[in-house]
Amino acid sequence: MKTKKISWQAIAIVVLALVLIASIALGVSGAWFQDKDAVQQTSKMGEAVTIRLAEDATHDVKTWSNMYTNTKPYPGDTIMGKTQIIMGSTTPSVVRGKIDVKVTNKDGDVTLPAANPEMTGVEKPVMPDKSADTYWTVDENGNSTFNTEAWNTALEAYKTKCQTYDKQLLANMLAVTLAGNNQWEKGKSTYYYLKTLAKDTNPILLFNALELSTELSNQVAEWTISVKVSVEAIQAANITADGDLGNADWRDDMPDALKTLVKEHNTTRKPTPAQP
């Protein structure tokens, strides 16, 4: 049997064909080495923090100026009604506040004693009786003479007791500080509510009403009573990577107990990572 010989020309053609096929294959594949992709996220910011002082959800705080007109307060009147903190936004927030009280008379500031609701040790003044025998003398002819000096001494003593008594009554009415409330704790300069608050939180009562005692005397005539209630709020989520509040004014002033609470809140609110 004769062996068929393949010429060099035939071999060369086969090799060239293989190279050409390989080149075509690489050229087609190379077109897919370039690629594009895009992703987009639109995020709506949380609701703005809003806070207000009110009697309730639908009524503003009643103050003297909007309860009465063309007159001035007298004993028995209400100078400020029920006052509560009401959050208007769903954003969990930290709240701080203070109640500033000031009493002045014609001589300037009046220093009030500490609150003493039971009036322990405070003597209630009694107006001296001008007709009492103490202030009258009768001569041998039956003529009566009023003892002006004795009366003036008694009247001054009465006024002094009134001042003490009146100050205590005012101190008891104005004892609306947050210091004695265990729901609040003082930072460096103001008091902080020890929970985060949002719209679904029940209103926070500061006081029911400030009413002038009916036992106040004429000695408080022309006195001025000033009560200023201030509250402000900041979102609890305002926190930095190192765990401290981002707003320095709040961060440096807040009590440690609230800092801890805010950090815990922001730890729990972080989104859960998506599963791979």
Side-chain angles (χ1 to χ4, degrees):
M1 185 176 192
K2 294 182 179 179
T3 302
K4 190 176 181 178
K5 294 184 179 180
I6 301 175
S7 67
W8 288 108
Q9 292 85 351
I11 294 174
I13 291 172
V14 171
V15 172
L16 183 61
L18 290 175
V19 171
L20 182 61
I21 292 171
S23 298
I24 293 173
L26 286 174
V28 172
S29 300
W32 296 97
F33 287 172
Q34 300 179 36
D35 200 4
K36 289 184 178 180
D37 194 7
V39 64
Q40 179 175 329
Q41 171 64 49
T42 302
S43 300
K44 184 177 180 179
M45 299 299 291
E47 188 177 11
V49 174
T50 57
I51 185 174
R52 69 189 183 97
L53 292 169
E55 178 182 340
D56 53 40
T58 56
H59 298 89
D60 292 334
V61 174
K62 290 184 175 66
T63 60
W64 175 259
S65 59
N66 59 34
M67 285 189 289
Y68 305 92
T69 58
N70 302 324
T71 187
K72 293 181 179 180
Y74 290 91
D77 288 340
T78 299
I79 61 172
M80 186 174 287
K82 185 177 182 179
T83 302
Q84 301 189 95
I85 296 174
I86 298 178
M87 300 300 296
S89 54
T90 57
T91 304
S93 304
V94 174
V95 172
R96 65 183 178 185
K98 57 181 179 178
I99 303 174
D100 296 315
V101 174
K102 186 176 182 180
V103 178
T104 58
N105 60 18
K106 62 180 181 180
D107 298 319
D109 291 347
V110 175
T111 301
L112 299 179
N116 178 9
E118 303 300 324
M119 302 296 283
T120 305
V122 183
E123 182 181 355
K124 184 175 182 178
V126 178
M127 180 70 178
D129 183 0
K130 203 170 186 178
S131 64
D133 293 341
T134 306
Y135 310 111
W136 294 89
T137 57
V138 181
D139 62 20
E140 56 186 14
N141 296 320
N143 297 317
S144 299
T145 303
F146 183 68
N147 189 334
T148 303
E149 183 178 351
W151 169 254
N152 287 338
T153 300
L155 188 59
E156 288 304 315
Y158 167 74
K159 290 180 178 179
T160 299
K161 289 181 179 179
C162 282
Q163 290 265 355
T164 300
Y165 198 74
D166 290 339
K167 288 179 182 179
Q168 189 62 67
L169 292 174
L170 291 176
N172 293 345
M173 178 192 73
L174 297 172
V176 292
T177 175
L178 300 174
N181 190 326
N182 59 11
Q183 293 181 304
W184 296 78
E185 184 175 334
K186 188 176 183 182
K188 291 182 180 179
S189 63
T190 189
Y191 283 86
Y192 290 78
Y193 194 72
L194 294 177
K195 293 180 181 178
T196 57
L197 303 178
K199 194 171 184 178
D200 57 351
T201 307
N202 291 330
I204 306 303
L205 178 67
L206 295 180
F207 51 82
N208 278 309
L210 302 180
E211 298 178 348
L212 295 170
S213 172
T214 57
E215 296 184 13
L216 288 169
S217 74
N218 288 337
Q219 302 308 304
V220 297
E222 304 298 326
W223 286 23
T224 299
I225 301 170
S226 174
V227 180
K228 182 180 179 182
V229 182
S230 306
V231 295
E232 55 183 335
I234 189 173
Q235 60 180 0
N238 186 18
I239 198 167
T240 57
D242 62 2
D244 288 329
L245 282 178
N247 187 298
D249 176 49
W250 290 70
R251 180 191 64 223
D252 297 339
D253 193 59
M254 284 173 58
D256 291 339
L258 187 56
K259 283 184 179 180
T260 299
L261 180 65
V262 171
K263 290 175 185 177
E264 291 174 353
H265 165 79
N266 283 288
T267 298
T268 59
R269 66 167 287 275
K270 288 181 179 179
T272 303
Q275 298 299 318

PDB file of all heavy atoms in Angstrom, residues 218-233:
ATOM      1  N   ASN A 218     -51.713  93.604 101.231  1.00  0.00           N
ATOM      2  CA  ASN A 218     -51.474  94.812 100.438  1.00  0.00           C
ATOM      3  C   ASN A 218     -49.996  95.117 100.263  1.00  0.00           C
ATOM      4  O   ASN A 218     -49.624  95.959  99.439  1.00  0.00           O
ATOM      5  CB  ASN A 218     -52.136  96.018 101.116  1.00  0.00           C
ATOM      6  CG  ASN A 218     -53.651  95.981 100.996  1.00  0.00           C
ATOM      7  OD1 ASN A 218     -54.178  95.344 100.090  1.00  0.00           O
ATOM      8  ND2 ASN A 218     -54.338  96.650 101.903  1.00  0.00           N
ATOM      9  N   GLN A 219     -49.161  94.433 101.009  1.00  0.00           N
ATOM     10  CA  GLN A 219     -47.730  94.715 100.951  1.00  0.00           C
ATOM     11  C   GLN A 219     -47.112  94.296  99.620  1.00  0.00           C
ATOM     12  O   GLN A 219     -45.992  94.698  99.294  1.00  0.00           O
ATOM     13  CB  GLN A 219     -47.004  94.018 102.106  1.00  0.00           C
ATOM     14  CG  GLN A 219     -47.519  94.404 103.481  1.00  0.00           C
ATOM     15  CD  GLN A 219     -47.569  95.909 103.671  1.00  0.00           C
ATOM     16  OE1 GLN A 219     -46.566  96.601 103.514  1.00  0.00           O
ATOM     17  NE2 GLN A 219     -48.742  96.425 104.033  1.00  0.00           N
ATOM     18  N   VAL A 220     -47.812  93.469  98.835  1.00  0.00           N
ATOM     19  CA  VAL A 220     -47.272  93.052  97.541  1.00  0.00           C
ATOM     20  C   VAL A 220     -47.805  93.927  96.401  1.00  0.00           C
ATOM     21  O   VAL A 220     -47.537  93.634  95.230  1.00  0.00           O
ATOM     22  CB  VAL A 220     -47.600  91.568  97.251  1.00  0.00           C
ATOM     23  CG1 VAL A 220     -46.957  90.664  98.277  1.00  0.00           C
ATOM     24  CG2 VAL A 220     -49.103  91.345  97.189  1.00  0.00           C
ATOM     25  N   ALA A 221     -48.535  94.959  96.742  1.00  0.00           N
ATOM     26  CA  ALA A 221     -49.030  95.860  95.703  1.00  0.00           C
ATOM     27  C   ALA A 221     -47.868  96.416  94.881  1.00  0.00           C
ATOM     28  O   ALA A 221     -46.829  96.790  95.437  1.00  0.00           O
ATOM     29  CB  ALA A 221     -49.820  97.001  96.341  1.00  0.00           C
ATOM     30  N   GLU A 222     -48.033  96.402  93.572  1.00  0.00           N
ATOM     31  CA  GLU A 222     -47.035  96.906  92.623  1.00  0.00           C
ATOM     32  C   GLU A 222     -45.815  95.991  92.476  1.00  0.00           C
ATOM     33  O   GLU A 222     -44.844  96.370  91.799  1.00  0.00           O
ATOM     34  CB  GLU A 222     -46.570  98.317  92.997  1.00  0.00           C
ATOM     35  CG  GLU A 222     -47.682  99.335  93.115  1.00  0.00           C
ATOM     36  CD  GLU A 222     -48.434  99.545  91.809  1.00  0.00           C
ATOM     37  OE1 GLU A 222     -47.811  99.471  90.750  1.00  0.00           O
ATOM     38  OE2 GLU A 222     -49.662  99.774  91.863  1.00  0.00           O
ATOM     39  N   TRP A 223     -45.810  94.830  93.111  1.00  0.00           N
ATOM     40  CA  TRP A 223     -44.718  93.888  92.885  1.00  0.00           C
ATOM     41  C   TRP A 223     -44.863  93.299  91.485  1.00  0.00           C
ATOM     42  O   TRP A 223     -45.964  93.215  90.933  1.00  0.00           O
ATOM     43  CB  TRP A 223     -44.729  92.766  93.926  1.00  0.00           C
ATOM     44  CG  TRP A 223     -44.261  93.190  95.291  1.00  0.00           C
ATOM     45  CD1 TRP A 223     -44.260  94.445  95.814  1.00  0.00           C
ATOM     46  CD2 TRP A 223     -43.737  92.333  96.307  1.00  0.00           C
ATOM     47  NE1 TRP A 223     -43.762  94.436  97.094  1.00  0.00           N
ATOM     48  CE2 TRP A 223     -43.440  93.147  97.427  1.00  0.00           C
ATOM     49  CE3 TRP A 223     -43.505  90.976  96.395  1.00  0.00           C
ATOM     50  CZ2 TRP A 223     -42.908  92.639  98.611  1.00  0.00           C
ATOM     51  CZ3 TRP A 223     -42.975  90.458  97.571  1.00  0.00           C
ATOM     52  CH2 TRP A 223     -42.680  91.287  98.667  1.00  0.00           C
ATOM     53  N   THR A 224     -43.752  92.864  90.914  1.00  0.00           N
ATOM     54  CA  THR A 224     -43.770  92.251  89.586  1.00  0.00           C
ATOM     55  C   THR A 224     -43.278  90.815  89.686  1.00  0.00           C
ATOM     56  O   THR A 224     -42.217  90.560  90.263  1.00  0.00           O
ATOM     57  CB  THR A 224     -42.871  93.029  88.605  1.00  0.00           C
ATOM     58  OG1 THR A 224     -43.358  94.367  88.490  1.00  0.00           O
ATOM     59  CG2 THR A 224     -42.874  92.381  87.231  1.00  0.00           C
ATOM     60  N   ILE A 225     -44.054  89.895  89.123  1.00  0.00           N
ATOM     61  CA  ILE A 225     -43.691  88.472  89.123  1.00  0.00           C
ATOM     62  C   ILE A 225     -43.430  88.049  87.680  1.00  0.00           C
ATOM     63  O   ILE A 225     -44.286  88.206  86.810  1.00  0.00           O
ATOM     64  CB  ILE A 225     -44.816  87.604  89.717  1.00  0.00           C
ATOM     65  CG1 ILE A 225     -45.109  88.047  91.152  1.00  0.00           C
ATOM     66  CG2 ILE A 225     -44.435  86.130  89.680  1.00  0.00           C
ATOM     67  CD1 ILE A 225     -46.358  87.413  91.731  1.00  0.00           C
ATOM     68  N   SER A 226     -42.236  87.522  87.429  1.00  0.00           N
ATOM     69  CA  SER A 226     -41.861  87.088  86.091  1.00  0.00           C
ATOM     70  C   SER A 226     -41.564  85.592  86.095  1.00  0.00           C
ATOM     71  O   SER A 226     -40.738  85.120  86.893  1.00  0.00           O
ATOM     72  CB  SER A 226     -40.629  87.864  85.605  1.00  0.00           C
ATOM     73  OG  SER A 226     -40.171  87.353  84.375  1.00  0.00           O
ATOM     74  N   VAL A 227     -42.255  84.852  85.234  1.00  0.00           N
ATOM     75  CA  VAL A 227     -42.022  83.412  85.094  1.00  0.00           C
ATOM     76  C   VAL A 227     -41.725  83.124  83.630  1.00  0.00           C
ATOM     77  O   VAL A 227     -42.539  83.413  82.752  1.00  0.00           O
ATOM     78  CB  VAL A 227     -43.251  82.591  85.539  1.00  0.00           C
ATOM     79  CG1 VAL A 227     -42.965  81.100  85.390  1.00  0.00           C
ATOM     80  CG2 VAL A 227     -43.631  82.924  86.968  1.00  0.00           C
ATOM     81  N   LYS A 228     -40.549  82.597  83.356  1.00  0.00           N
ATOM     82  CA  LYS A 228     -40.157  82.277  81.990  1.00  0.00           C
ATOM     83  C   LYS A 228     -39.841  80.790  81.879  1.00  0.00           C
ATOM     84  O   LYS A 228     -38.954  80.281  82.562  1.00  0.00           O
ATOM     85  CB  LYS A 228     -38.929  83.101  81.575  1.00  0.00           C
ATOM     86  CG  LYS A 228     -38.485  82.841  80.136  1.00  0.00           C
ATOM     87  CD  LYS A 228     -37.259  83.677  79.789  1.00  0.00           C
ATOM     88  CE  LYS A 228     -36.794  83.403  78.360  1.00  0.00           C
ATOM     89  NZ  LYS A 228     -35.579  84.185  78.023  1.00  0.00           N
ATOM     90  N   VAL A 229     -40.582  80.101  81.025  1.00  0.00           N
ATOM     91  CA  VAL A 229     -40.372  78.674  80.785  1.00  0.00           C
ATOM     92  C   VAL A 229     -39.739  78.522  79.402  1.00  0.00           C
ATOM     93  O   VAL A 229     -40.304  78.984  78.403  1.00  0.00           O
ATOM     94  CB  VAL A 229     -41.694  77.896  80.846  1.00  0.00           C
ATOM     95  CG1 VAL A 229     -41.444  76.410  80.636  1.00  0.00           C
ATOM     96  CG2 VAL A 229     -42.402  78.137  82.172  1.00  0.00           C
ATOM     97  N   SER A 230     -38.578  77.912  79.338  1.00  0.00           N
ATOM     98  CA  SER A 230     -37.866  77.734  78.068  1.00  0.00           C
ATOM     99  C   SER A 230     -37.580  76.258  77.839  1.00  0.00           C
ATOM    100  O   SER A 230     -37.084  75.568  78.739  1.00  0.00           O
ATOM    101  CB  SER A 230     -36.549  78.511  78.076  1.00  0.00           C
ATOM    102  OG  SER A 230     -36.751  79.865  78.397  1.00  0.00           O
ATOM    103  N   VAL A 231     -37.885  75.763  76.637  1.00  0.00           N
ATOM    104  CA  VAL A 231     -37.548  74.384  76.272  1.00  0.00           C
ATOM    105  C   VAL A 231     -36.992  74.360  74.859  1.00  0.00           C
ATOM    106  O   VAL A 231     -37.329  75.215  74.034  1.00  0.00           O
ATOM    107  CB  VAL A 231     -38.776  73.440  76.355  1.00  0.00           C
ATOM    108  CG1 VAL A 231     -39.262  73.311  77.777  1.00  0.00           C
ATOM    109  CG2 VAL A 231     -39.903  73.928  75.450  1.00  0.00           C
ATOM    110  N   GLU A 232     -36.117  73.420  74.586  1.00  0.00           N
ATOM    111  CA  GLU A 232     -35.600  73.221  73.238  1.00  0.00           C
ATOM    112  C   GLU A 232     -35.280  71.750  73.043  1.00  0.00           C
ATOM    113  O   GLU A 232     -35.110  70.997  74.007  1.00  0.00           O
ATOM    114  CB  GLU A 232     -34.374  74.091  72.975  1.00  0.00           C
ATOM    115  CG  GLU A 232     -33.250  73.936  73.963  1.00  0.00           C
ATOM    116  CD  GLU A 232     -32.096  74.898  73.683  1.00  0.00           C
ATOM    117  OE1 GLU A 232     -31.945  75.317  72.517  1.00  0.00           O
ATOM    118  OE2 GLU A 232     -31.353  75.222  74.621  1.00  0.00           O
ATOM    119  N   ALA A 233     -35.235  71.342  71.774  1.00  0.00           N
ATOM    120  CA  ALA A 233     -35.015  69.926  71.468  1.00  0.00           C
ATOM    121  C   ALA A 233     -34.028  69.782  70.321  1.00  0.00           C
ATOM    122  O   ALA A 233     -33.871  70.676  69.486  1.00  0.00           O
ATOM    123  CB  ALA A 233     -36.338  69.265  71.096  1.00  0.00           C
TER     124      ALA A 233
END
